[in-house]
Amino acid sequence: VQLQASGGGLVQPGGSLRLSCAASGRSFSGSVMGWFRQAPGKEREFTASITSSGSINYAHSVEGRFTVSRDNAKNTMYLQMHMLKPEDTGVYYCAVAYGYNRPLRSPRLYNDWGQGTLVTVSS
């Protein structure tokens, strides 16, 4: 499956952004989707994951500020981000995993990745 992430940009601290991840090339249903992010000089880290039935898991650092959702009919996943902080800056990647029915936190379990979209939180 091909994944296309979009929606990144420059935002001030306390602001909001919504990221999208569009999937093509394979059925979206039955998959587990995830968002990961990578700050400059750091390793890629788990952000959020959602199953096809809507089970969700968040990283502790974003819980209460970020909301992950998906539209299976549109083959699209979203990440609504509120109360953004400078430490949220990084490249955000979406990924898809097949064969699981629970949210996944480990990047090693995902099969395909999008190219990433840059989010910069700065005044």
Side-chain angles (χ1 to χ4, degrees):
V1 64
Q2 290 77 47
L3 301 174
Q4 180 73 40
S6 60
L10 174 64
V11 62
Q12 292 187 343
S16 299
L17 276 178
R18 189 176 84 152
L19 306 183
S20 298
C21 175
S24 62
R26 181 175 175 175
S27 174
F28 194 69
S29 62
S31 66
V32 176
M33 301 292 294
W35 286 102
F36 292 78
R37 65 187 185 185
Q38 187 167 17
K42 295 188 176 181
E43 293 187 354
R44 192 171 300 188
E45 65 174 13
F46 169 75
T47 303
S49 178
I50 182 169
T51 69
S52 60
S53 60
S55 295
I56 291 171
N57 191 260
Y58 293 104
H60 178 71
S61 59
V62 307
E63 200 154 18
R65 300 187 298 120
F66 290 11
T67 302
V68 64
S69 62
R70 62 191 286 171
D71 185 334
N72 290 331
K74 295 182 178 180
N75 282 2
T76 303
M77 175 180 63
Y78 305 97
L79 186 67
Q80 179 67 57
M81 305 184 292
H82 295 297
M83 295 182 288
L84 282 161
K85 306 174 182 180
E87 52 263 43
D88 294 317
T89 293
V91 178
Y92 282 70
Y93 298 90
C94 57
V96 61
Y98 294 94
Y100 297 92
N101 60 2
R102 68 183 193 280
L104 301 174
R105 300 174 68 94
S106 172
R108 295 180 293 105
L109 298 178
Y110 287 82
N111 300 100
D112 297 299
W113 293 79
Q115 85 291 355
T117 185
L118 177 63
V119 173
T120 303
V121 184
S122 175
S123 55

